Amino acid sequence: MDYVNGPGRNHLFVPGPVNIPEQVLRAMNRNNEDYRSPAVPALTKTLLEDVKKIFKTTSGTPFLFPTTGTGAWESALTNTLSPGDRTVSFLIGQFSLLWIDQQKRLNFDVDVIESDWGQGANLEVLASKIAEDKSHTIKAICIVHNETATGVTNNLATVRKILDHYQHPALFLVDGVSSICALDFRMDEWGVDVALTGSQKALSLPTGLGIVCASPKALEASKTAKSVRVFFDWSDYLKFYKLGTYWPYTPSIQLLYGLRAALDLLFEEGLDNVIARHARLGKATRLAVEAWGLKNCTQKEEWFSDTVTAVVVPPHIESSEIVKRAWKRYNLSLGLGLNKVAGKVFRIGHLGNLNELQLLGCLAGVEMVLKDIGYPVKFGSGVAAASAFLQNSTPLIPSRI
Amino acid sequence: MDYVNGPGRNHLFVPGPVNIPEQVLRAMNRNNEDYRSPAVPALTKTLLEDVKKIFKTTSGTPFLFPTTGTGAWESALTNTLSPGDRTVSFLIGQFSLLWIDQQKRLNFDVDVIESDWGQGANLEVLASKIAEDKSHTIKAICIVHNETATGVTNNLATVRKILDHYQHPALFLVDGVSSICALDFRMDEWGVDVALTGSQKALSLPTGLGIVCASPKALEASKTAKSVRVFFDWSDYLKFYKLGTYWPYTPSIQLLYGLRAALDLLFEEGLDNVIARHARLGKATRLAVEAWGLKNCTQKEEWFSDTVTAVVVPPHIESSEIVKRAWKRYNLSLGLGLNKVAGKVFRIGHLGNLNELQLLGCLAGVEMVLKDIGYPVKFGSGVAAASAFLQNSTPLIPSRI
Amino acid sequence: MDYVNGPGRNHLFVPGPVNIPEQVLRAMNRNNEDYRSPAVPALTKTLLEDVKKIFKTTSGTPFLFPTTGTGAWESALTNTLSPGDRTVSFLIGQFSLLWIDQQKRLNFDVDVIESDWGQGANLEVLASKIAEDKSHTIKAICIVHNETATGVTNNLATVRKILDHYQHPALFLVDGVSSICALDFRMDEWGVDVALTGSQKALSLPTGLGIVCASPKALEASKTAKSVRVFFDWSDYLKFYKLGTYWPYTPSIQLLYGLRAALDLLFEEGLDNVIARHARLGKATRLAVEAWGLKNCTQKEEWFSDTVTAVVVPPHIESSEIVKRAWKRYNLSLGLGLNKVAGKVFRIGHLGNLNELQLLGCLAGVEMVLKDIGYPVKFGSGVAAASAFLQNSTPLIPSRI
Amino acid sequence: MDYVNGPGRNHLFVPGPVNIPEQVLRAMNRNNEDYRSPAVPALTKTLLEDVKKIFKTTSGTPFLFPTTGTGAWESALTNTLSPGDRTVSFLIGQFSLLWIDQQKRLNFDVDVIESDWGQGANLEVLASKIAEDKSHTIKAICIVHNETATGVTNNLATVRKILDHYQHPALFLVDGVSSICALDFRMDEWGVDVALTGSQKALSLPTGLGIVCASPKALEASKTAKSVRVFFDWSDYLKFYKLGTYWPYTPSIQLLYGLRAALDLLFEEGLDNVIARHARLGKATRLAVEAWGLKNCTQKEEWFSDTVTAVVVPPHIESSEIVKRAWKRYNLSLGLGLNKVAGKVFRIGHLGNLNELQLLGCLAGVEMVLKDIGYPVKFGSGVAAASAFLQNSTPLIPSRI
């Protein structure tokens, strides 16, 4: 019962879950432990301190929920809002759609600002809504930093500017699932109130941690938020933080040690270097797509994502055939097009613990798949475009002796 | 950052998380995979089919939530009940207390039947409440099969008999966290509507799967239950079950392969053999406690638990000192007394993938700790009582050539 | 103390040790065991039976020495020859040189047939020596099937034909370290008397097993061979084979289980499919080298190796700079030029558990390194040449659903 | 194909291979690497420096052979002696017998001093031989520090005193396979010329490293020693030590990282603390044996071994039945009696990364097996004797917070 066993490595280029570095696999290769011993709290303490760095916050309070991104969303919303509260949300792709769906099912009054899939959040509409909302009926702005379905990165700094300009007190809630640890993200500077990510994305861990970080204002809001919550309630965690035992229920010992290793790797490379690496790999991917004569689903450069590229295929091609073929012939895992863009795009994830040659192998694989599927790609064209850029920009690996 | 590193193995005898067998560690030692490939659904399909066996159900529908037992509770409740619904719950220890607390916070009208900590659920009171409830205001009976804090196992068959006797339609919701895969549990035969467990208990996996199984009646109830839920909603899973892709959001690849290995081990040993092994180890532990002249927190034999034994210490001893000492001197992890029995009991977990000699090592360790702490234990007395019983009753290991 | 930790995977393209598949890593992730229990002999029995398949022999007797290829050489020689015995050996590169050196130090009378590095064994000279040797002073022909230093594969079938033509009884000893499990090798058909390989080569295990296979004639020779040996003596093994306990001294439990997993993977893919895959990857590599305008160190197509390609760099380039740069900037491990070809060639290993996209990633990396070092490579040229060939020839992965 | 899978852990109490700590398993859970990169030499350098500490030498030169203890023996002998050289060797059990056999097969003139199995080396006979040997025909004294078959530890300091007293220049070669890292061993102080051990013994690694340490005098001897050797030749290593690349042939990457982790654990606990722990566990075992009314195979206290205890069974009992039963019913691996003491003794190994409760579990298991087999043991008697001693003498674990 193990299908990922063609000869050689599986080439994992979905935009999550991503490749786990050996150091993290090693750290997780361990028996369970009593989480009530002195050891687990001592470890947890370092994690809570250090995980703040990936959000670039000093004032935030992090929570390590044993859940997925969907659970982290729910935790962000239910701890800060009450049923009937008005949220403004941007519908720009499948993951923003799912979050909006969750907001509706949690009984918020969701004010949806829709864009074409491939465009970023329409911040002009946001600005006008904020401008109009003198009575502050808008309780929260909910925005996906990086829409994983279309490869669109939204401009969070502008959201903050709009709120500040109108001195609007709405909470600023950010889904950073496919951005944090990979794209430039500045919780404190941008006044983000709740930011969240999942362990299986740029942190390069297995799925299982929904990491949520709350600003002091969000914590304050949680005291009066009336949404029903138990498992996802911050107050239970805060109670155990005070006691120094940290856990209201059983954490995954393996993921805690894995997170420790993942953070150590990030800090060793340097978070800003990690972000720069993602910028390099993102650009290299886009240069390849361009060289192939294919279109990026993302309509403007300002929204280009450095963690995932959704590639538009010509109308006569069914993109899911590309994904199937890649998997079945070349042990290459690409992302499907989802919902509105199903059949129309395939996605290359280029996030997490990844390097240049892994990406180039993927790009060479895509070329072969494109040829397989009847698209007249010129072999080596995408790789050449990507390589020329990467050969210019890749730094030496600092840890190498 | 790894405190469990005294020489030799950590002796893990908390009632969860428990020891992970090497076969499961090996199965989990792997990179991430694309969960949308054909491989993960194919694996999931076998898991959903086979996991029903641990509940002894053929008609139930299982869900593998990426969460803990606390989340599994929430899933069981919110999918079957509406705010204001009356539940009957038994308060007999810390975990039943926490579940009751959750029920209250989820806005159910909780009718609590309290017993002394150390006693089982008072089923006579249940019977009278059911008898009186001609108008069927009671929507659910919520019961912890095995109260982990006191080592008390409740009689589920009797609950079913009471409901049947009065033809009462209340749902029968069971927390099987520290029982399923270790104690006799029969979902179909006992007419349990929702049963649940956590991966880090008798399944001997890391924390991270909340396994919930719903009867057809519970599924039916979920169609009208008005409790707010998204992450824990069964309907999202059912939608993807129909599609054959199974996952509404990202599962932990490692835990899926780990669950496969854990189920394989269970079935290889034989589920009934596993339960018989727990019965042997449970009885051996109780014989040791008796030999030490200490009292079992559980007040009657009918409630004795075969997965955890809470040992009452003499009044002048602080039980948490025993736990600390065991950990610091002998690399032995015992369970603390919780809440009402804090300081008064320590707990020996004897569940999961465990054998006779591991338990005897633990019992020998407890003897040394008791001596350390000033209790006049006779060395070897508990081990002798347990050994005499085990030497008589332990079968040959069938898989040995 | 872990330098291979640049972001992303290390790209391991030395001609051994090679990448270990996850399945093998998992199988080896285990505690020690008593090798005198019934379990280890039962496992060993299957290994000895199945390992014969990789040699394509039914009449051979295999030995799993806890050693390296150098030890396996010594075992092959000392068990079959006596001091002063005349051997004919071919000096065509660093590894044949080292074997010759060993033969001399073991006090054999080595008759060396030398070729330019980059040429294969001179079998015409062999033929004349055999023709002349009416009195059968030549006791053994020692030949490296695949010279790892230059990427030269020798024609073993011809060696057999020569011996048969002259009805010469010399033993036929073959170093298959970088060939067996990757190149076409037929012990029985070619009348090879001793064949050997190392676990860290095409078997894709860690270093630590020197696998030696002896024909009935070689076993017969071992009864009278006077070379001193103890650790490497076959007779100790044969004694324990008869007893059914198999091991004269302690084996590595982990490597035995790893070998089991490695053989299972080989047989699942199909040994002939594995060999065909190596042929594809070898040809793809040579096409890339040609596209770059560089020369293969191997001088004729008949000697081209499908497991390693030694690439000649232009005179003004120092090849070790390429290897250093690849490692330090791109996390790419290439093989150095050794001895006579030091500074003049670098080597790409393409053996073991490897697939098309891994190789293309390596080739793209070599292109960037060549540019780094000042060689006017056209980006994408090698990748294009290799891809065009691979896209035509790569089969679907049979195990994929 | 995995028989060690009864429920729970295998209890591994053979005197090697021993339990591998999780930290070491984790360190070894890794892909291969290019051993010619700068990383492996940098790692090797620290290993060669630190491994000297386990021999308590500053002047010795260590070699990490990819082999077993048998290979390490061969390396010690062939590098220092020439065919025909007279050695004095002590025959006191199966492992000294095997070493003597090796010496004979390597063509040395072995002067055997035999003792009853269960007695130590007869140093009085040695003294008289040395006294008589005015012409220094004795080239080496070969002695097993700890005879694993009988649990006998020889007095090495006295050997040195005898040599010094007579100013005899014989080399002093010591098999420390089941002693080094567990018993008091002082290479420099005792003037040992070659000491050796295997990785699977007290170092608690997998089998695969034969660690040999040579004094300056031994290195000097190796320059003129005429025994034939290639794989085991020190001079090849010394050549690569000078070059700073360290390896004449491919090492096991995994074992190097494993050795690093094993040494780190040893030094963290403190080598002298490790030795003291072995003394405690050894004494506890002997107290249990005494309490059971059984005899130690070792005839005098001065020879008692702290790494292995050979227990003599009553004449009507076949000791191999005990070993079989332990394995088949209790997942307990005990050591068989070997050769002369086959059927008469079983062995409890108590070496390596092991703690008190593991040993007590083993002792409780032995009690059950003894009862199974018809020996009238009193349950708990051995455990009680061991516990009473251990409870008095076990220190707190220093690394625990």
Side-chain angles (χ1 to χ4, degrees), chain A residues 2-11 22-23 25-26 29 265 268-269 277 325 327-332 353-358 360-362 364-369 371-372 378-380 383-384 387-388 390-401, chain C residues 2-11 22-23 25-26 29 265 268-269 277 325 327-332 353-358 360-362 364-369 371-372 378-380 383-384 387-388 390-401:
Chain A
D2 192 351
Y3 298 106
V4 184
N5 57 0
R9 299 272 309 169
N10 173 247
H11 300 266
E22 264 200 7
Q23 291 91 333
L25 284 179
R26 274 197 290 278
N29 183 35
L265 279 178
E268 189 186 344
E269 187 178 357
R277 175 166 53 79
R325 188 80 180 176
W327 194 73
K328 202 158 169 54
R329 196 176 192 201
Y330 303 106
N331 215 339
L332 169 62
N353 191 273
L354 197 74
N355 60 30
E356 290 73 16
L357 269 54
Q358 285 174 284
L360 292 172
C362 166
V366 171
E367 292 182 358
M368 293 201 290
V369 179
K371 183 70 98 185
D372 276 9
K378 194 183 153 220
F379 281 125
V383 171
S387 296
L390 290 171
Q391 188 265 333
N392 247 317
S393 58
T394 302
L396 296 184
I397 301 174
S399 60
R400 292 298 167 107
I401 47 176
Chain C
D2 192 353
Y3 297 106
V4 184
N5 56 0
R9 300 272 308 171
N10 173 248
H11 299 267
E22 264 200 8
Q23 290 92 332
L25 285 179
R26 274 197 289 279
N29 184 35
L265 278 178
E268 189 185 344
E269 187 177 356
R277 174 164 56 77
R325 188 78 180 178
W327 194 73
K328 201 157 170 57
R329 194 176 194 202
Y330 302 107
N331 215 339
L332 169 63
N353 192 272
L354 196 73
N355 61 29
E356 290 74 16
L357 270 53
Q358 285 173 283
L360 292 172
C362 165
V366 172
E367 294 183 357
M368 293 200 292
V369 179
K371 184 71 99 186
D372 276 11
K378 193 180 153 222
F379 281 125
V383 171
S387 296
L390 291 172
Q391 188 264 335
N392 247 317
S393 58
T394 302
L396 295 184
I397 302 175
S399 62
R400 291 295 167 108
I401 48 177

Side-chain angles (χ1 to χ4, degrees), chain B residues 2-3 5 7-9 11 23 26 29 327-329 331 353 355 358 372 379 391 394 397 399-400, chain D residues 2-3 5 7-9 11 23 26 29 327-329 331 353 355 358 372 384 391 394 397 399-400:
Chain B
D2 192 351
Y3 297 106
N5 57 0
R9 301 271 309 170
H11 300 266
Q23 291 92 334
R26 274 197 289 278
N29 184 35
W327 194 72
K328 202 156 170 55
R329 194 175 192 203
N331 215 340
N353 192 272
N355 60 30
Q358 285 174 284
D372 275 10
F379 281 124
Q391 188 264 336
T394 301
I397 302 175
S399 61
R400 292 296 168 107
Chain D
D2 193 351
Y3 298 106
N5 56 1
R9 300 274 307 172
H11 300 266
Q23 291 91 333
R26 274 198 289 279
N29 184 35
W327 194 71
K328 202 157 169 54
R329 193 176 193 202
N331 216 339
N353 192 273
N355 60 30
Q358 285 173 285
D372 276 10
Q391 188 265 335
T394 302
I397 302 174
S399 61
R400 292 296 166 108

Side-chain angles (χ1 to χ4, degrees), chain A residues 75-336:
Chain A
S75 181
L77 295 168
T78 57
N79 280 281
T80 54
L81 299 170
S82 301
D85 274 359
R86 183 181 171 198
T87 64
V88 174
S89 269
F90 302 89
L91 171 46
I92 65 167
Q94 178 64 7
F95 293 93
S96 42
L97 175 74
L98 287 171
W99 199 18
I100 287 166
D101 175 63
Q102 186 185 68
Q103 290 163 41
K104 288 179 178 167
R105 289 161 70 183
L106 293 172
N107 295 322
F108 306 125
D109 174 22
V110 193
D111 190 344
V112 177
I113 302 178
E114 192 164 356
S115 304
D116 273 2
W117 289 32
Q119 296 190 339
N122 191 328
L123 300 184
E124 287 171 27
V125 176
L126 174 69
S128 64
K129 281 184 192 280
I130 292 292
E132 284 163 19
D133 184 39
K134 311 285 191 215
S135 58
H136 298 166
T137 63
I138 298 171
K139 297 303 177 200
I141 313 300
C142 300
I143 187 164
V144 171
H145 188 194
N146 186 76
E147 169 56 62
T148 317
T150 54
V152 160
T153 304
N154 287 311
N155 189 328
L156 301 182
T158 302
V159 174
R160 170 46 56 204
K161 271 183 209 149
I162 292 168
L163 289 171
D164 284 357
H165 181 78
Y166 295 101
Q167 295 187 288
H168 195 289
L171 291 162
F172 184 11
L173 311 185
V174 177
D175 165 345
V177 169
S178 60
S179 75
I180 286 166
C181 293
L183 305 184
D184 186 24
F185 181 81
R186 311 176 186 200
M187 184 163 178
D188 282 2
E189 187 179 329
W190 295 341
V192 172
D193 289 305
V194 188
L196 59 93
T197 190
S199 51
Q200 82 278 19
K201 298 286 183 171
L203 269 167
S204 302
L205 285 160
T207 306
L209 289 179
I211 306 178
V212 177
C213 197
S215 73
K217 185 172 153 191
L219 281 190
E220 196 57 34
S222 75
K223 294 179 185 165
T224 53
K226 293 195 172 51
S227 291
V228 168
R229 62 198 181 268
V230 182
F231 181 79
F232 291 120
D233 199 343
W234 297 346
S235 68
D236 293 299
Y237 278 81
L238 293 171
K239 197 175 86 185
F240 285 89
Y241 286 7
K242 271 198 192 136
L243 293 174
T245 55
Y246 292 105
W247 295 103
Y249 37 69
T250 319
S252 161
I253 297 300
Q254 290 74 19
L255 281 170
L256 297 187
Y257 283 100
L259 178 58
R260 181 68 269 158
L263 292 172
D264 288 346
L265 279 178
L266 278 175
F267 301 151
E268 189 186 344
E269 187 178 357
L271 184 54
D272 288 338
N273 293 332
V274 171
I275 292 167
R277 175 166 53 79
H278 281 84
R280 278 199 312 279
L281 297 181
K283 177 147 192 193
T285 306
R286 293 189 294 272
L287 289 168
V289 171
E290 204 183 308
W292 297 330
L294 292 172
K295 262 185 45 187
N296 193 324
C297 176
T298 312
Q299 296 178 13
K300 285 192 194 166
E301 191 174 341
E302 60 177 292
W303 298 316
F304 282 166
S305 165
D306 287 333
T307 58
V308 55
T309 300
V311 184
V312 180
V313 298
H316 61 285
I317 291 177
E318 163 62 45
S319 67
S320 66
E321 286 303 311
I322 290 176
V323 175
K324 266 189 218 165
R325 188 80 180 176
W327 194 73
K328 202 158 169 54
R329 196 176 192 201
Y330 303 106
N331 215 339
L332 169 62
S333 295
L334 298 171
L336 286 162

Side-chain angles (χ1 to χ4, degrees), chain B residues 100-398:
Chain B
I100 287 167
D101 175 63
Q102 186 185 67
Q103 290 164 41
K104 289 179 179 168
R105 288 161 70 183
L106 293 171
N107 295 321
F108 305 125
D109 174 20
V110 193
D111 190 344
V112 177
I113 301 177
E114 192 163 356
S115 303
D116 273 3
W117 288 34
Q119 297 190 340
N122 191 329
L123 300 184
E124 287 170 29
V125 175
L126 174 69
S128 64
K129 280 181 192 282
I130 292 293
E132 283 162 19
D133 185 39
K134 311 285 193 216
S135 57
H136 298 167
T137 62
I138 298 171
K139 297 304 178 200
I141 313 300
C142 300
I143 188 164
V144 171
H145 188 194
N146 186 76
E147 170 56 63
T148 316
T150 55
V152 160
T153 304
N154 287 311
N155 189 330
L156 301 181
T158 301
V159 174
R160 170 46 58 203
K161 271 183 209 150
I162 292 168
L163 290 171
D164 283 357
H165 181 78
Y166 295 101
Q167 295 186 290
H168 195 288
L171 291 163
F172 184 12
L173 312 185
V174 177
D175 164 345
V177 170
S178 59
S179 76
I180 286 166
C181 293
L183 305 184
D184 186 23
F185 181 82
R186 311 177 186 201
M187 183 164 179
D188 282 3
E189 188 179 327
W190 295 341
V192 171
D193 289 305
V194 187
L196 59 92
T197 189
S199 51
Q200 82 278 19
K201 299 286 184 169
L203 270 167
S204 303
L205 285 159
T207 306
L209 288 178
I211 306 178
V212 177
C213 197
S215 74
K217 185 172 154 193
L219 281 191
E220 197 56 37
S222 76
K223 293 178 185 165
T224 53
K226 291 194 174 52
S227 291
V228 168
R229 60 199 182 268
V230 182
F231 182 79
F232 291 120
D233 199 345
W234 297 346
S235 69
D236 294 299
Y237 277 82
L238 292 171
K239 197 174 88 184
F240 285 90
Y241 285 8
K242 270 196 192 138
L243 294 172
T245 54
Y246 292 104
W247 295 104
Y249 38 68
T250 319
S252 161
I253 297 301
Q254 290 73 19
L255 280 171
L256 296 187
Y257 282 100
L259 178 57
R260 182 67 267 159
L263 292 172
D264 289 346
L265 278 179
L266 278 174
F267 301 152
E268 190 186 341
E269 187 178 355
L271 184 53
D272 289 337
N273 293 333
V274 170
I275 291 167
R277 175 165 52 80
H278 281 84
R280 277 200 312 281
L281 297 181
K283 176 145 192 196
T285 306
R286 292 189 294 272
L287 288 168
V289 172
E290 205 183 307
W292 297 330
L294 291 173
K295 261 185 47 186
N296 193 324
C297 176
T298 312
Q299 295 177 13
K300 284 192 194 166
E301 189 173 342
E302 59 177 294
W303 298 316
F304 281 166
S305 165
D306 286 333
T307 57
V308 56
T309 299
V311 184
V312 180
V313 298
H316 61 285
I317 291 177
E318 163 62 45
S319 68
S320 66
E321 286 303 311
I322 290 176
V323 175
K324 265 189 219 165
R325 188 79 180 177
W327 194 72
K328 202 156 170 55
R329 194 175 192 203
Y330 303 106
N331 215 340
L332 169 62
S333 294
L334 298 170
L336 286 163
L338 299 174
N339 200 333
K340 268 199 186 175
V341 292
K344 298 179 185 165
V345 311
F346 68 92
R347 291 175 299 149
I348 302 173
H350 31 79
L351 76 165
N353 192 272
L354 197 73
N355 60 30
E356 290 73 15
L357 270 53
Q358 285 174 284
L359 180 67
L360 292 172
C362 165
L363 296 177
V366 171
E367 294 182 357
M368 292 201 291
V369 179
L370 288 171
K371 182 72 97 186
D372 275 10
I373 222 77
Y375 178 79
V377 73
K378 191 181 155 223
F379 281 124
S381 58
V383 171
S387 296
F389 169 71
L390 291 171
Q391 188 264 336
N392 247 318
S393 58
T394 301
L396 297 184
I397 302 175

